[in-house]
Coordinates of all heavy atoms in Angstrom, one line a residue:
V1 N 171.2 142.7 22.1 CA 171.7 142.7 20.7 C 170.5 142.2 19.9 O 170.0 141.1 20.1 CB 172.9 141.8 20.6 CG1 173.3 141.8 19.1 CG2 174.0 142.3 21.4
P2 N 170.0 143.0 18.9 CA 169.0 142.5 18.0 C 169.5 141.3 17.2 O 170.6 141.2 16.9 CB 168.6 143.7 17.2 CG 169.8 144.6 17.2 CD 170.5 144.3 18.5
A3 N 168.5 140.5 16.7 CA 168.8 139.4 15.9 C 169.4 139.8 14.6 O 169.1 140.9 14.1 CB 167.6 138.5 15.6
R4 N 170.3 139.1 14.0 CA 170.9 139.4 12.8 C 171.3 138.1 12.0 O 171.4 137.1 12.6 CB 172.2 140.3 13.0 CG 173.3 139.6 13.7 CD 174.4 140.5 14.0 NE 175.4 139.9 14.9 CZ 176.3 138.9 14.5 NH1 176.4 138.6 13.3 NH2 177.1 138.4 15.4
F5 N 171.5 138.2 10.7 CA 171.9 137.1 9.9 C 173.4 137.2 9.7 O 173.9 138.3 9.6 CB 171.2 137.1 8.6 CG 169.7 136.9 8.7 CD1 168.8 138.0 8.6 CD2 169.2 135.6 8.9 CE1 167.4 137.8 8.8 CE2 167.8 135.4 9.0 CZ 166.9 136.5 8.9
E6 N 174.0 136.0 9.7 CA 175.4 136.0 9.3 C 175.6 135.0 8.3 O 175.0 133.9 8.2 CB 176.3 135.7 10.6 CG 176.3 134.3 11.0 CD 177.2 134.1 12.2 OE1 177.6 135.0 12.9 OE2 177.7 132.9 12.4
K7 N 176.5 135.3 7.4 CA 176.9 134.4 6.3 C 178.2 133.8 6.6 O 179.2 134.5 6.9 CB 177.0 135.2 5.0 CG 177.4 134.3 3.8 CD 177.4 135.1 2.5 CE 177.6 134.2 1.3 NZ 177.5 134.9 0.0
Q8 N 178.3 132.4 6.7 CA 179.5 131.7 6.9 C 180.1 131.2 5.6 O 179.4 130.5 4.9 CB 179.3 130.6 7.9 CG 178.8 131.0 9.3 CD 178.6 129.9 10.2 OE1 178.5 128.7 9.8 NE2 178.4 130.2 11.5
V9 N 181.3 131.5 5.4 CA 182.0 131.0 4.1 C 182.9 129.9 4.5 O 183.8 130.1 5.3 CB 182.7 132.2 3.5 CG1 183.4 131.7 2.2 CG2 181.8 133.3 3.1
H10 N 182.7 128.7 4.0 CA 183.5 127.6 4.2 C 184.4 127.4 3.0 O 183.9 127.2 1.9 CB 182.7 126.3 4.5 CG 181.9 126.4 5.7 ND1 182.3 126.0 7.0 CD2 180.6 126.9 5.9 CE1 181.4 126.3 7.9 NE2 180.3 126.8 7.3
V11 N 185.7 127.4 3.2 CA 186.7 127.2 2.2 C 187.2 125.8 2.3 O 187.7 125.4 3.4 CB 187.8 128.2 2.2 CG1 188.8 127.9 1.1 CG2 187.3 129.6 2.1
Q12 N 187.1 125.0 1.3 CA 187.6 123.6 1.3 C 189.0 123.6 0.7 O 189.2 123.8 -0.5 CB 186.7 122.7 0.5 CG 185.4 122.3 1.2 CD 184.6 121.4 0.3 OE1 183.7 121.8 -0.3 NE2 184.9 120.1 0.4
E13 N 190.0 123.4 1.5 CA 191.3 123.4 1.1 C 191.7 122.1 0.3 O 191.2 121.0 0.7 CB 192.2 123.5 2.3 CG 193.6 124.0 2.0 CD 194.4 124.3 3.3 OE1 194.1 123.8 4.3 OE2 195.3 125.2 3.1
V14 N 192.3 122.3 -0.8 CA 192.8 121.1 -1.6 C 194.3 121.1 -1.5 O 195.0 122.1 -1.9 CB 192.3 121.3 -3.1 CG1 192.8 120.1 -3.9 CG2 190.8 121.3 -3.1
L15 N 194.8 120.0 -1.1 CA 196.3 119.8 -1.0 C 196.7 118.7 -2.0 O 196.1 117.7 -2.1 CB 196.7 119.5 0.4 CG 196.3 120.5 1.5 CD1 196.7 120.0 2.9 CD2 197.0 121.8 1.3
A16 N 197.8 119.0 -2.7 CA 198.4 118.0 -3.6 C 199.8 117.7 -3.1 O 200.6 118.6 -2.7 CB 198.4 118.6 -5.0
C17 N 200.2 116.5 -3.3 CA 201.5 116.0 -2.9 C 202.5 116.5 -4.0 O 202.1 116.6 -5.2 CB 201.5 114.5 -2.8 SG 203.1 113.9 -2.3
T18 N 203.7 116.8 -3.6 CA 204.7 117.3 -4.6 C 205.0 116.2 -5.7 O 205.4 116.6 -6.8 CB 206.0 117.7 -4.0 OG1 206.4 116.7 -3.1 CG2 205.7 119.0 -3.2
C19 N 204.7 114.9 -5.4 CA 205.0 113.9 -6.4 C 203.9 114.0 -7.5 O 204.1 113.3 -8.6 CB 205.1 112.5 -5.8 SG 203.5 111.8 -5.3
G20 N 202.8 114.7 -7.3 CA 201.8 114.8 -8.3 C 200.8 113.7 -8.4 O 199.9 113.8 -9.3
R21 N 200.8 112.8 -7.5 CA 199.8 111.7 -7.6 C 198.7 111.8 -6.6 O 197.6 111.3 -6.8 CB 200.5 110.3 -7.4 CG 201.4 109.9 -8.5 CD 202.0 108.6 -8.3 NE 202.8 108.5 -7.1 CZ 203.7 107.6 -6.8 NH1 203.9 106.6 -7.7 NH2 204.4 107.6 -5.7
G22 N 198.9 112.4 -5.5 CA 197.9 112.4 -4.4 C 197.3 113.8 -4.3 O 198.0 114.8 -4.1
V23 N 196.0 113.9 -4.3 CA 195.2 115.2 -4.1 C 194.2 114.9 -3.0 O 193.4 113.9 -3.1 CB 194.6 115.7 -5.4 CG1 193.7 116.9 -5.0 CG2 195.6 116.0 -6.4
V24 N 194.2 115.7 -2.0 CA 193.3 115.5 -0.9 C 192.4 116.8 -0.7 O 193.0 117.9 -0.7 CB 194.0 115.2 0.4 CG1 193.0 115.1 1.6 CG2 194.9 114.0 0.3
T25 N 191.1 116.6 -0.6 CA 190.2 117.8 -0.4 C 189.6 117.7 1.0 O 189.2 116.6 1.4 CB 189.1 117.7 -1.5 OG1 189.6 117.7 -2.8 CG2 188.2 119.0 -1.4
A26 N 189.6 118.8 1.7 CA 189.0 118.8 3.0 C 187.5 118.5 2.9 O 186.8 118.9 1.9 CB 189.2 120.2 3.7
P27 N 186.9 117.8 3.9 CA 185.5 117.5 3.8 C 184.6 118.7 4.0 O 185.0 119.7 4.7 CB 185.2 116.5 5.0 CG 186.4 116.8 5.9 CD 187.5 117.2 5.1
P28 N 183.4 118.8 3.3 CA 182.6 120.0 3.5 C 181.9 119.9 4.8 O 181.8 118.9 5.4 CB 181.6 119.8 2.3 CG 181.5 118.3 2.1 CD 182.9 117.8 2.4
P29 N 181.4 121.1 5.3 CA 180.6 121.1 6.6 C 179.3 120.3 6.4 O 178.8 120.1 5.3 CB 180.4 122.5 6.8 CG 180.4 123.2 5.5 CD 181.4 122.4 4.7
A30 N 178.8 119.8 7.6 CA 177.6 119.0 7.5 C 176.4 119.9 7.1 O 176.4 121.1 7.5 CB 177.3 118.4 8.9
R31 N 175.5 119.4 6.4 CA 174.4 120.2 5.9 C 173.1 119.5 6.2 O 173.0 118.3 6.2 CB 174.5 120.5 4.4 CG 175.7 121.4 4.1 CD 175.6 121.8 2.6 NE 176.6 122.9 2.4 CZ 177.6 122.9 1.6 NH1 177.8 121.8 0.8 NH2 178.5 123.9 1.5
V32 N 172.0 120.3 6.4 CA 170.7 119.7 6.6 C 170.2 119.2 5.3 O 169.6 118.1 5.2 CB 169.7 120.8 7.2 CG1 168.3 120.2 7.4 CG2 170.2 121.4 8.5
V33 N 170.3 120.0 4.3 CA 169.8 119.6 2.9 C 171.0 119.5 2.0 O 172.0 120.2 2.1 CB 168.9 120.7 2.4 CG1 168.4 120.4 1.0 CG2 167.7 121.0 3.3
D34 N 171.0 118.4 1.2 CA 172.1 118.2 0.3 C 172.4 119.5 -0.6 O 171.5 120.0 -1.2 CB 171.8 117.0 -0.6 CG 172.2 115.7 0.0 OD1 172.8 115.8 1.1 OD2 171.8 114.7 -0.5
R35 N 173.6 119.9 -0.6 CA 174.1 121.1 -1.3 C 173.3 122.3 -1.0 O 173.3 123.3 -1.8 CB 174.0 120.8 -2.9 CG 175.1 119.8 -3.2 CD 175.2 119.6 -4.7 NE 174.0 119.0 -5.2 CZ 173.6 118.9 -6.5 NH1 174.4 119.5 -7.4 NH2 172.5 118.3 -6.9
G36 N 172.6 122.3 0.1 CA 171.9 123.5 0.5 C 172.8 124.6 1.0 O 173.8 124.3 1.6
E37 N 172.5 125.9 0.8 CA 173.4 126.9 1.2 C 172.9 127.6 2.5 O 173.5 128.6 2.9 CB 173.6 127.9 0.1 CG 172.3 128.6 -0.5 CD 172.6 129.6 -1.6 OE1 173.5 130.4 -1.5 OE2 171.9 129.5 -2.6
Y38 N 171.8 127.1 3.0 CA 171.3 127.7 4.3 C 171.5 126.8 5.4 O 171.3 125.6 5.3 CB 169.8 128.1 4.1 CG 169.6 129.1 3.0 CD1 169.2 128.8 1.7 CD2 169.7 130.5 3.3 CE1 169.0 129.7 0.7 CE2 169.5 131.5 2.3 CZ 169.2 131.1 1.1 OH 169.1 132.0 0.1
G39 N 171.8 127.3 6.6 CA 172.1 126.5 7.7 C 170.9 126.1 8.5 O 169.8 126.5 8.2
P40 N 171.1 125.2 9.4 CA 169.9 124.6 10.2 C 169.2 125.7 11.0 O 168.0 125.6 11.1 CB 170.6 123.6 11.1 CG 172.0 123.9 11.1 CD 172.4 124.6 9.8
G41 N 169.9 126.7 11.4 CA 169.3 127.7 12.2 C 168.3 128.5 11.4 O 167.2 128.9 11.9
F42 N 168.7 128.8 10.1 CA 167.8 129.6 9.3 C 166.5 128.7 8.9 O 165.4 129.2 8.8 CB 168.5 130.1 8.0 CG 167.7 131.0 7.2 CD1 167.3 132.3 7.7 CD2 167.2 130.6 6.0 CE1 166.5 133.1 6.9 CE2 166.4 131.5 5.2 CZ 166.1 132.7 5.7
L43 N 166.8 127.4 8.6 CA 165.6 126.6 8.3 C 164.7 126.5 9.5 O 163.4 126.6 9.3 CB 166.1 125.2 7.9 CG 166.2 124.9 6.4 CD1 167.3 125.7 5.8 CD2 166.5 123.4 6.2
A44 N 165.2 126.4 10.7 CA 164.3 126.4 11.9 C 163.6 127.7 12.0 O 162.4 127.7 12.4 CB 165.2 126.1 13.1
H45 N 164.3 128.8 11.7 CA 163.6 130.1 11.8 C 162.4 130.2 10.8 O 161.4 130.7 11.2 CB 164.7 131.2 11.5 CG 164.1 132.6 11.5 ND1 163.6 133.2 12.6 CD2 164.0 133.5 10.5 CE1 163.2 134.4 12.3 NE2 163.4 134.6 11.0
V46 N 162.6 129.7 9.6 CA 161.5 129.7 8.6 C 160.4 128.9 9.0 O 159.2 129.4 9.0 CB 162.1 129.2 7.2 CG1 160.9 129.1 6.2 CG2 163.1 130.2 6.6
V47 N 160.6 127.7 9.5 CA 159.5 126.8 9.9 C 158.8 127.4 11.2 O 157.6 127.4 11.2 CB 160.1 125.4 10.2 CG1 159.0 124.5 10.8 CG2 160.6 124.7 8.9
T48 N 159.6 127.9 12.1 CA 159.0 128.4 13.3 C 158.2 129.7 13.0 O 157.1 129.8 13.6 CB 160.1 128.8 14.4 OG1 160.9 127.6 14.6 CG2 159.5 129.3 15.7
S49 N 158.7 130.5 12.2 CA 158.0 131.8 11.8 C 156.6 131.4 11.2 O 155.6 132.1 11.5 CB 158.8 132.6 10.9 OG 160.0 133.1 11.5
K50 N 156.7 130.5 10.3 CA 155.4 130.1 9.5 C 154.4 129.3 10.4 O 153.3 129.7 10.5 CB 155.8 129.3 8.3 CG 154.5 128.9 7.5 CD 154.8 128.4 6.1 CE 153.6 127.8 5.4 NZ 152.4 128.7 5.4
C51 N 154.9 128.3 11.1 CA 154.0 127.4 11.8 C 153.7 127.9 13.2 O 152.5 127.8 13.6 CB 154.6 126.0 11.9 SG 154.9 125.2 10.3
A52 N 154.6 128.4 13.9 CA 154.3 128.8 15.3 C 153.9 130.2 15.4 O 153.0 130.6 16.2 CB 155.6 128.6 16.2
D53 N 154.4 131.1 14.5 CA 154.0 132.5 14.6 C 153.0 132.9 13.5 O 152.7 134.1 13.4 CB 155.3 133.4 14.5 CG 156.3 133.1 15.6 OD1 155.9 132.6 16.7 OD2 157.5 133.4 15.4
A54 N 152.6 131.9 12.7 CA 151.6 132.2 11.6 C 152.0 133.3 10.7 O 151.2 134.1 10.3 CB 150.2 132.5 12.2
M55 N 153.3 133.4 10.4 CA 153.8 134.5 9.5 C 153.8 134.0 8.1 O 154.5 133.0 7.8 CB 155.2 135.0 9.9 CG 155.7 136.1 9.0 SD 157.2 136.8 9.5 CE 156.7 137.8 10.8
P56 N 153.1 134.6 7.2 CA 153.2 134.2 5.8 C 154.6 134.4 5.2 O 155.3 135.3 5.6 CB 152.2 135.2 5.1 CG 151.4 135.8 6.1 CD 152.2 135.8 7.4
L57 N 154.9 133.5 4.3 CA 156.3 133.5 3.8 C 156.6 134.8 3.0 O 157.8 135.2 3.1 CB 156.5 132.3 2.9 CG 156.5 130.9 3.7 CD1 156.8 129.8 2.8 CD2 157.6 130.9 4.8
H58 N 155.7 135.4 2.4 CA 156.0 136.6 1.7 C 156.3 137.7 2.7 O 157.2 138.6 2.4 CB 154.8 137.1 0.8 CG 153.6 137.6 1.5 ND1 152.6 136.8 1.9 CD2 153.3 138.9 1.8 CE1 151.7 137.5 2.5 NE2 152.1 138.8 2.5
R59 N 155.7 137.7 3.8 CA 156.0 138.7 4.8 C 157.4 138.4 5.5 O 158.2 139.3 5.8 CB 154.9 138.8 5.9 CG 154.8 140.2 6.5 CD 153.7 140.3 7.5 NE 152.4 140.0 7.0 CZ 151.4 139.5 7.8 NH1 151.6 139.4 9.1 NH2 150.2 139.2 7.3
L60 N 157.7 137.1 5.7 CA 159.0 136.7 6.2 C 160.1 137.1 5.3 O 161.1 137.6 5.7 CB 159.0 135.2 6.5 CG 160.3 134.7 7.1 CD1 160.6 135.3 8.4 CD2 160.2 133.2 7.2
A61 N 159.8 137.0 3.9 CA 160.8 137.4 3.0 C 161.1 138.9 3.1 O 162.3 139.3 3.0 CB 160.3 137.0 1.6
Q62 N 160.1 139.7 3.3 CA 160.2 141.1 3.4 C 161.1 141.4 4.7 O 162.0 142.3 4.7 CB 158.9 141.8 3.6 CG 158.1 141.8 2.3 CD 156.6 142.3 2.5 OE1 156.2 142.6 3.6 NE2 155.9 142.5 1.4
R63 N 160.8 140.7 5.8 CA 161.6 140.9 7.0 C 163.0 140.6 6.8 O 163.9 141.3 7.3 CB 160.9 140.1 8.1 CG 161.7 140.2 9.4 CD 161.1 139.2 10.5 NE 160.1 139.9 11.3 CZ 159.5 139.4 12.3 NH1 159.9 138.1 12.7 NH2 158.7 140.0 13.0
V64 N 163.3 139.4 6.1 CA 164.7 139.0 5.9 C 165.4 140.1 5.0 O 166.5 140.4 5.3 CB 164.7 137.6 5.3 CG1 166.1 137.3 4.8 CG2 164.2 136.6 6.2
E65 N 164.7 140.6 4.0 CA 165.3 141.5 3.1 C 165.6 142.8 3.9 O 166.6 143.5 3.6 CB 164.4 141.8 1.9 CG 164.3 140.7 1.0 CD 164.3 141.1 -0.5 OE1 163.6 142.1 -0.8 OE2 165.0 140.5 -1.3
R66 N 164.8 143.2 4.8 CA 165.0 144.4 5.6 C 166.3 144.3 6.4 O 167.0 145.2 6.8 CB 163.9 144.7 6.6 CG 162.9 145.7 6.1 CD 162.1 146.3 7.3 NE 161.6 145.4 8.2 CZ 160.5 144.6 8.1 NH1 159.8 144.7 7.0 NH2 160.1 143.8 9.1
S67 N 166.7 143.0 6.7 CA 167.9 142.7 7.4 C 169.1 142.7 6.5 O 170.3 142.5 6.9 CB 167.9 141.4 8.2 OG 166.8 141.4 9.0
G68 N 168.9 143.0 5.2 CA 170.0 143.1 4.3 C 170.3 141.8 3.5 O 171.4 141.8 2.9
V69 N 169.5 140.8 3.6 CA 169.7 139.6 2.9 C 168.7 139.4 1.8 O 167.5 139.4 2.1 CB 169.6 138.3 3.9 CG1 169.8 137.0 3.1 CG2 170.5 138.4 5.0
P70 N 169.2 139.4 0.5 CA 168.2 139.2 -0.6 C 167.5 137.9 -0.4 O 168.1 136.9 -0.2 CB 169.1 139.2 -1.8 CG 170.4 139.7 -1.4 CD 170.5 139.5 0.1
M71 N 166.1 138.0 -0.5 CA 165.3 136.7 -0.3 C 164.0 136.9 -1.0 O 163.4 137.9 -1.0 CB 165.1 136.6 1.3 CG 164.4 135.3 1.7 SD 165.2 133.8 1.2 CE 166.8 134.0 2.1
S72 N 163.6 135.7 -1.6 CA 162.3 135.7 -2.3 C 161.4 134.7 -1.6 O 161.8 133.8 -0.9 CB 162.5 135.3 -3.8 OG 162.9 134.0 -3.8
R73 N 160.1 134.9 -1.8 CA 159.1 134.1 -1.2 C 159.3 132.6 -1.7 O 159.2 131.7 -1.0 CB 157.7 134.5 -1.6 CG 156.6 133.8 -0.9 CD 155.2 134.0 -1.5 NE 155.2 133.6 -2.9 CZ 155.1 132.4 -3.4 NH1 154.9 131.4 -2.5 NH2 155.1 132.1 -4.6
S74 N 159.6 132.5 -3.0 CA 159.8 131.1 -3.6 C 161.0 130.4 -2.9 O 160.9 129.2 -2.7 CB 159.9 131.2 -5.1 OG 161.1 131.9 -5.4
T75 N 162.0 131.1 -2.6 CA 163.2 130.5 -1.9 C 162.7 130.0 -0.5 O 163.1 128.9 -0.1 CB 164.3 131.5 -1.8 OG1 164.7 131.9 -3.1 CG2 165.5 130.9 -1.1
L76 N 162.0 130.8 0.2 CA 161.5 130.4 1.5 C 160.6 129.2 1.4 O 160.6 128.3 2.2 CB 160.8 131.6 2.2 CG 161.7 132.7 2.6 CD1 160.9 133.9 3.3 CD2 162.8 132.3 3.6
T77 N 159.7 129.2 0.3 CA 158.8 128.1 0.1 C 159.6 126.8 -0.1 O 159.3 125.7 0.5 CB 157.9 128.3 -1.1 OG1 157.2 129.6 -0.9 CG2 156.9 127.2 -1.3
D78 N 160.7 126.9 -0.9 CA 161.5 125.7 -1.2 C 162.2 125.2 0.1 O 162.2 124.0 0.4 CB 162.6 126.1 -2.2 CG 162.1 126.3 -3.6 OD1 160.9 125.9 -3.8 OD2 162.8 126.9 -4.4
L79 N 162.7 126.2 0.9 CA 163.3 125.8 2.2 C 162.4 125.1 3.1 O 162.7 124.2 3.8 CB 163.9 127.1 2.9 CG 165.2 127.7 2.2 CD1 165.6 129.0 2.9 CD2 166.3 126.7 2.2
F80 N 161.1 125.7 3.1 CA 160.1 125.1 4.0 C 159.8 123.7 3.6 O 159.7 122.8 4.5 CB 158.8 126.0 3.9 CG 157.7 125.6 4.9 CD1 157.8 125.9 6.2 CD2 156.6 124.9 4.4 CE1 156.9 125.5 7.1 CE2 155.6 124.5 5.3 CZ 155.7 124.8 6.7
H81 N 159.7 123.4 2.3 CA 159.4 122.1 1.8 C 160.6 121.1 2.1 O 160.4 120.0 2.4 CB 159.0 122.1 0.3 CG 157.6 122.7 0.1 ND1 157.3 123.2 -1.1 CD2 156.6 122.8 0.9 CE1 156.0 123.7 -1.0 NE2 155.6 123.5 0.2
Q82 N 161.8 121.7 1.9 CA 163.0 120.9 2.1 C 163.1 120.5 3.6 O 163.4 119.3 3.9 CB 164.2 121.6 1.7 CG 164.4 121.7 0.2 CD 165.5 122.7 -0.2 OE1 166.1 123.3 0.6 NE2 165.8 122.8 -1.5
A83 N 162.8 121.4 4.5 CA 162.8 121.1 5.9 C 161.8 120.1 6.3 O 162.0 119.2 7.2 CB 162.6 122.4 6.7
A84 N 160.7 120.1 5.6 CA 159.6 119.1 5.9 C 160.0 117.7 5.4 O 159.6 116.7 6.0 CB 158.3 119.5 5.3
S85 N 160.8 117.6 4.4 CA 161.2 116.3 3.9 C 162.4 115.7 4.5 O 162.8 114.6 4.2 CB 161.4 116.4 2.3 OG 162.5 117.3 2.1
V86 N 163.1 116.5 5.4 CA 164.3 115.9 6.0 C 163.9 115.0 7.2 O 163.0 115.3 7.9 CB 165.2 117.1 6.6 CG1 166.3 116.5 7.4 CG2 165.7 117.9 5.5
Ligands
ZN101 ZN1 203.0 111.8 -3.1

């Protein structure tokens, strides 16, 4: 099976008590970067492609886009820097 990207959608359920005083929100999933929308696997893929495979980020962006995921070089650059600062 060739590699592919998958988008996971996490829905945070909010429940309110019928008395109207208590509201509880489910906790969000753990993230590598605060409020980041990319998972740890994709960040590892970006760092490995650039550092271990010497792939320039503009070419990695083209490869990701060919897989059907809209991606810009600047987004990959931001992810790369965020991964380095974690
Ligand atoms: Zn209540």
Side-chain angles (χ1 to χ4, degrees):
V1 178
R4 62 183 172 80
F5 293 100
E6 75 176 24
K7 181 177 186 174
Q8 296 180 346
V9 179
H10 296 270
V11 178
Q12 284 180 264
E13 200 169 24
V14 179
L15 298 175
C17 183
T18 51
C19 74
R21 288 187 301 202
V23 177
V24 179
T25 306
R31 295 191 166 120
V32 179
V33 179
D34 277 347
R35 291 185 294 165
E37 57 181 314
Y38 296 95
F42 187 70
L43 262 67
H45 177 65
V46 171
V47 172
T48 304
S49 296
K50 179 167 171 54
C51 297
D53 300 336
M55 177 174 288
L57 292 179
H58 73 273
R59 211 180 299 156
L60 181 59
Q62 292 170 352
R63 176 185 269 187
V64 172
E65 289 219 318
R66 259 199 321 277
S67 303
V69 180
M71 185 59 60
S72 69
R73 187 195 59 82
S74 65
T75 300
L76 291 177
T77 304
D78 290 345
L79 289 175
F80 186 75
H81 289 157
Q82 287 170 356
S85 65
V86 172

